[in-house]
Amino acid sequence: MANTASNGTDPSSNPKVRGKLGGALPGDPSAPKHSVTIRNWQGSESLTVAVPEDRYIWWYLREQGYELPSSCLNGCCTTCAAKVLRGTLEQPEALGLTRDFRERGYCLLCVSYPRSELELVLQDEDEVYLQQWAATFESGGKRWGGLIPEED
């Protein structure tokens, strides 16, 4: 999977840029790695991969050939949500999780950096979304200054 800029060049090939990249793009080749174990929510499968601490977990696993749930890949939806069973991570761009859910140990793999050895469990595709938003978005909406059709 090649990472190219709009001018067709690979930004990670520039030594001035390489150390500053990370997240979804290749970062420092000598960055420390942490063992990340991910189980599916049914408990029947798991994988363990050493992930560099300057890379988002989802993106690094994708480069290694693993298929994980995804939708927006920007930290806004909850399709790639996981529960942290052990270890620490950093996810400053996880806009799709409320503070309460982050404090309860949920993460979005597409914007999470490993900070220690991790053990995670993927969530059922809509579990985290429904837990956070079902009482508002999925309940038919609110009537703020206008009429919302009953069929919505």
Side-chain angles (χ1 to χ4, degrees):
M1 176 178 192
N3 291 304
T4 57
S6 59
N7 65 3
T9 63
D10 179 355
S12 65
S13 66
N14 181 341
K16 292 180 182 178
V17 174
R18 183 176 31 236
K20 296 179 182 176
L21 294 178
L25 297 173
D28 181 357
S30 62
K33 292 184 175 185
H34 300 286
S35 177
V36 176
T37 299
I38 301 175
R39 292 187 286 143
N40 76 5
W41 61 276
Q42 297 168 323
S44 60
E45 298 177 59
S46 70
L47 65 96
T48 301
V49 177
V51 179
E53 67 179 27
D54 68 341
R55 297 295 308 282
Y56 293 139
I57 296 167
W58 188 96
W59 290 91
Y60 185 76
L61 291 174
R62 174 64 180 236
E63 284 178 7
Q64 306 308 308
Y66 298 101
E67 294 289 330
L68 293 174
S70 66
S71 186
C72 78
L73 297 176
N74 290 306
C76 292
C77 76
T78 57
T79 306
C80 67
K83 174 84 171 174
V84 179
L85 300 179
R86 184 174 49 88
T88 58
L89 53 78
E90 185 178 348
Q91 56 177 342
E93 295 89 13
L95 300 175
L97 290 176
T98 62
R99 179 179 299 148
D100 177 55
F101 270 73
R102 288 190 303 269
E103 289 171 356
R104 289 170 44 194
Y106 288 93
C107 68
L108 300 178
L109 296 177
C110 69
V111 292
S112 290
Y113 297 100
R115 294 298 182 236
S116 72
E117 191 171 295
L118 285 167
E119 185 177 350
L120 309 165
V121 176
L122 290 174
Q123 300 300 291
D124 186 8
E125 188 171 331
D126 290 325
E127 179 179 350
V128 174
Y129 173 84
L130 291 173
Q131 286 181 47
Q132 289 188 111
W133 312 116
T136 54
F137 294 141
E138 298 294 323
S139 66
K142 304 290 182 196
R143 294 180 186 257
W144 293 317
L147 206 44
I148 297 176
E150 290 299 321
E151 57 271 356
D152 277 352

